[in-house]
């Protein structure tokens, strides 16, 4: 199970945090909580209010809408941001496909975090753009 | 299994130590509030068990901490409900739960009355009285040293010999000092090793950390230190902002105000990289995080208020999954290891079951006020799941459902102490009618299949508004219904009755 140094190394390897210095990474590590989910456990629940922002450190998760798995998420991916930013319940379940280790940031802290870390915000926006492009390509 | 008054130590010939090595259905490790509370409920349900502790007396962490002696959780002598009512527990977060009045040892009984935060000694006295009044037994001086699986369950190796059991429950607290791997950290005493406050008179002190224990030290040393510098990578998270006990409690915010006013307390966001001894004391080097810059502090003393870890012994070798930088075991909603089936946790380590964390509010299982309720739920779960003990459940008439659930949301300590986490659950069976299943983890309710049912919790949203929320399982699907808040926390208004009734529809 990762200790402090291993966790810092993992964060440094994620695209989302690629522009951050080591001290900034330490701040991120102390700002987010770490959580681990067993295989099959739901992290986001479709239609439930009050969810948070998650970033995957290890493992895979399935995005499930009305019982049908639509896509999978892996290391470095994040989820829950749409629900947090729009203040709406998630439109999908996110379920751990195997042991899943995440960083979690409460919705109450997301806006402050994004404003305080513009490089992370830009990286997140790029990831959203890629998702949007994929969605457009499907149509 | 009846609970009988226990003979006071030293009032007669020494009794033999209880629970010699052997085979027991359940073995509880620990003698702090988590272990005592679980032992109480196991006893009430007739589940034979041994309680083992390396300590020499009950109390767990309260034998030594808080280091500056007064808790940050309230025990209110005067409350809106009677002290002997079930709901009083919300106003007294520090008292262990007991069903019979003769077994109760409410903390205010032991307090001088000059604060609603008990001192460490008052807390310890209450725990000792709880043991005496309930007749709970503990084998003190018996250290858990190793663990192995067997076909029947587990064997715990101890300083007194081997204990075989079907179910081990570790209530070993989360009170082992933890320090991060910083160069030179070995020169720095942990919070647990901080010296008497007078020893810091006139000193320039640096505290590593900005969580509750850091602020507790800073608050206690305000009258003594020349300067206090708090350093950690992120700004402090306050309970009044997080809407939970996960932040620094307001009781310790005087150093924050001193920092704001510029009175000699400094709070800096920095990642500490080096601690070196000097002729005068210690030199601490840090790099700014939220604002760039390098800091070098020459100080008289440093204290690491960097938190705690769970003493997990050799459990990682059995495959125990952990998180929070390897400090907390990963647990199911019923506090069983997610990776070592049959291994359970109670007390502060039960925070390893995080729950839904709705609106960012985690379980309150890291504190006595929260985990005491978990113990009742766990004892019932073990009774039914492992030992075939049927627990009677009351039934309700349909007209009673709405008033009962709104009453629970308004004042049940289980729901208030464990917001978004513990739920009052009613199930509907066409043959048996409406059954009160008691209090269960919300996560279990929403993620497990089962009959048509309703779970009621108390939640707090991002604006800090408290309100009831109900989760209705109908034909296997669970839907969420958030009820309105109320400025005076009265959730029994006509509007609440109407909305809950509409959500339930024809379910009941």
């Amino acid at each position: 199970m990762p200790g402090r140094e291993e966790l810092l190394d993992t964060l440094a390897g994620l695209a989302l945090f690629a522009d951050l210095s080591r001290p900034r990474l330490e701040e991120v590590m102390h700002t987010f909580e770490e959580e681990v989910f067993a295989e099959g456990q739901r992290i986001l629940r479709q239609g439930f209010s009050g969810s948070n922002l998650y970033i995957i450190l290890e493992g895979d998760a399935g995005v499930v809408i009305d019982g049908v798995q639509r896509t999978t998420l892996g290391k470095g991916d994040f989820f829950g941001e749409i629900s947090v930013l729009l203040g709406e319940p998630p439109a999908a379940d996110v379920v751990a496909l195997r042991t899943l280790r995440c960083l979690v940031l409460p919705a109450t802290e997301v806006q402050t975090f994004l404003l305080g870390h513009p490089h992370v915000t830009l990286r997140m926006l790029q990831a959203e753009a890629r998702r949007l492009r994929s969605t457009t390509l499907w149509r | 299994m009846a609970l009988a008054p226990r003979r006071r130590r030293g009032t007669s010939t020494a009794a033999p130590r209880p629970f010699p090595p052997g085979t027991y259905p359940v073995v509880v490790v620990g003698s702090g509030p988590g272990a005592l509370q679980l032992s109480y409920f196991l006893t009430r349900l007739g589940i034979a068990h041994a309680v083992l502790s390396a300590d020499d007396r009950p109390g767990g962490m309260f034998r030594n901490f808080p280091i500056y002696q007064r808790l940050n959780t309230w025990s209110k002598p005067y409350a809106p409900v009677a002290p002997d009512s079930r709901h009083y527990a919300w106003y007294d977060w520090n008292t262990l739960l007991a069903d019979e009045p003769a077994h109760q040892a409410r903390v205010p009984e032991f307090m001088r009355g000059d604060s609603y935060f008990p001192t460490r000694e008052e807390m310890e006295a209450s725990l000792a009285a709880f043991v005496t009044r309930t007749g709970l037994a503990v084998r003190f001086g018996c250290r858990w040293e190793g663990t192995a699986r067997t076909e029947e369950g587990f064997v715990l190796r101890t300083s007194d010999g081997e204990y075989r059991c079907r179910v081990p429950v570790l209530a070993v607290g989360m009170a082992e000092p933890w320090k991060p791997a910083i160069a030179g950290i070995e020169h720095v005493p942990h919070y647990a090793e901080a010296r008497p406050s007078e020893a810091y008179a006139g000193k320039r002190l640096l505290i590593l950390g900005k969580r509750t224990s850091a602020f507790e030290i800073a608050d206690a040393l305000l009258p003594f230190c020349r300067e206090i510098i708090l350093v950690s990578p992120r700004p402090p998270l306050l309970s009044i902002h997080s809407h939970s006990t996960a932040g620094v409690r307001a009781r310790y915010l005087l150093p924050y105000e001193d920092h704001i006013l510029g009175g000699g307390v400094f709070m800096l966001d920095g990642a500490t990289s080096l601690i070196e001894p000097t002729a005068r004391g210690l030199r601490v080097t840090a790099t700014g995080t939220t604002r760039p810059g390098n800091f070098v502090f020459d100080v008289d003393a440093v204290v690491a208020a960097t938190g705690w870890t769970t003493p997990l012994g050799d459990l990682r070798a059995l495959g125990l999954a952990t998180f929070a930088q390897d400090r907390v075991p990963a647990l199911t909603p019923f506090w069983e290891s997610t990776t070592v089936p049959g291994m359970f946790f109670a007390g502060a380590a039960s925070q390893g079951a995080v729950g839904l964390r709705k609106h960012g509010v985690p379980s309150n299982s890291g504190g006595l006020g929260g985990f005491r309720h978990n113990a009742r739920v766990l004892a019932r779960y073990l009774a039914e799941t492992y030992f075939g003990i049927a627990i009677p459940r009351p039934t309700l008439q349909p007209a009673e459902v709405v008033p009962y659930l709104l009453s629970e949301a308004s004042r049940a300590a289980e729901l208030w102490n464990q917001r978004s986490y513990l739920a009052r659950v009613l199930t509907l069976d066409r043959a048996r009618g409406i059954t009160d299943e008691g209090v269960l983890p919300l996560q279990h309710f929403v993620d497990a299949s089962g009959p048509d049912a309703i779970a009621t919790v108390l939640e707090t949203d991002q604006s800090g508004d408290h309100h009831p929320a109900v989760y209705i399982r109908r034909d296997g699907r669970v839907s969420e219904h958030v009820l309105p808040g109320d400025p005076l926390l009265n959730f029994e208004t006509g509007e609440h009755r109407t909305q809950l009734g509409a959500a339930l529809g024809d379910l009941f």
Side-chain angles (χ1 to χ4, degrees), chain A residues 2-123:
Chain A
R4 175 176 176 268
E5 288 303 315
E6 293 87 346
L7 191 53
L8 270 175
D9 289 342
T10 302
L11 293 190
L14 300 185
L16 204 54
F17 301 129
D19 307 308
L20 299 187
S21 64
R22 195 81 173 179
R24 265 312 229 187
L25 283 173
E26 282 211 40
E27 184 228 343
V28 168
M29 190 175 78
H30 282 77
T31 302
F32 285 72
E33 298 285 341
E34 184 194 353
E35 257 188 71
V36 65
F37 302 91
E39 179 182 335
Q41 192 174 339
R42 283 200 292 176
I43 301 105
L44 285 195
R45 293 168 179 82
Q46 185 176 351
F48 284 18
S49 63
S51 55
N52 306 296
L53 170 65
Y54 294 85
I55 300 167
I56 298 176
L57 297 173
E58 180 187 333
D60 298 303
V63 178
V64 179
I65 301 174
D66 296 328
V68 179
Q69 184 173 317
R70 300 300 180 96
T71 189
T72 58
L73 302 171
K75 181 176 177 179
D77 287 334
F78 54 89
F79 57 90
E81 81 288 357
I82 296 175
S83 174
V84 167
L85 293 172
L86 300 182
E88 296 174 355
D93 282 345
V94 174
V95 183
L97 299 178
R98 58 190 175 99
T99 300
L100 187 73
R101 190 173 296 278
C102 292
L103 292 179
V104 54
L105 186 66
T108 43
E109 297 184 51
V110 169
Q111 184 173 326
T112 304
F113 178 80
L114 293 179
L115 292 173
H117 299 78
H119 287 100
V120 178
T121 307
L122 179 62
R123 291 270 183 177

Side-chain angles (χ1 to χ4, degrees), chain A residues 1-5 7 21-24 26-38 41-43 45-52 54 66-67 84 87 89 99 101 104 106-109, chain B residues 178 180-182 211 233-235 237 241 243 271-272 287-291 319-326 330 338-339 354-360 443 446-447 459 462 471 477-480 482:
Chain A
M1 309 305 152
R4 175 176 176 268
E5 288 303 315
L7 191 53
S21 64
R22 195 81 173 179
R24 265 312 229 187
E26 282 211 40
E27 184 228 343
V28 168
M29 190 175 78
H30 282 77
T31 302
F32 285 72
E33 298 285 341
E34 184 194 353
E35 257 188 71
V36 65
F37 302 91
Q41 192 174 339
R42 283 200 292 176
I43 301 105
R45 293 168 179 82
Q46 185 176 351
F48 284 18
S49 63
S51 55
N52 306 296
Y54 294 85
D66 296 328
V84 167
T99 300
R101 190 173 296 278
V104 54
T108 43
E109 297 184 51
Chain B
W178 183 86
I182 297 171
R211 293 184 186 257
R234 62 158 292 174
L237 175 68
H241 294 149
H243 309 131
T272 302
T287 308
T289 54
T290 56
R291 109 174 18 174
L320 187 88
T322 61
F323 66 104
Q325 298 180 53
D326 199 26
T338 58
T339 51
V354 176
L356 272 63
R357 203 193 274 272
K358 291 199 69 176
H359 305 285
Q443 184 186 340
V446 300
D447 289 342
E459 295 186 348
Q462 287 190 51
Y471 296 81
R477 289 183 66 91
V478 179
S479 57
E480 176 202 67
V482 176

Side-chain angles (χ1 to χ4, degrees), chain B residues 409-455:
Chain B
S410 293
R411 55 186 68 88
E414 298 92 334
L415 273 51
W416 278 87
N417 274 133
Q418 292 282 31
R419 286 173 289 158
S420 312
Y421 185 73
L422 290 182
R424 171 64 62 178
V425 176
L426 306 181
T427 56
L428 176 65
D429 181 284
R430 300 293 170 197
R432 292 178 56 213
I434 302 164
T435 302
D436 185 349
E437 302 289 345
V439 171
L440 292 169
L442 177 64
Q443 184 186 340
H444 168 73
F445 180 87
V446 300
D447 289 342
S449 58
D452 286 357
I454 179 168

Side-chain angles (χ1 to χ4, degrees), chain B residues 285-306:
Chain B
T285 304
T287 308
T289 54
T290 56
R291 109 174 18 174
N294 295 315
F295 304 114
V296 177
F297 305 103
D298 284 308
V299 295
D300 300 303
V302 181
V303 175
T306 44

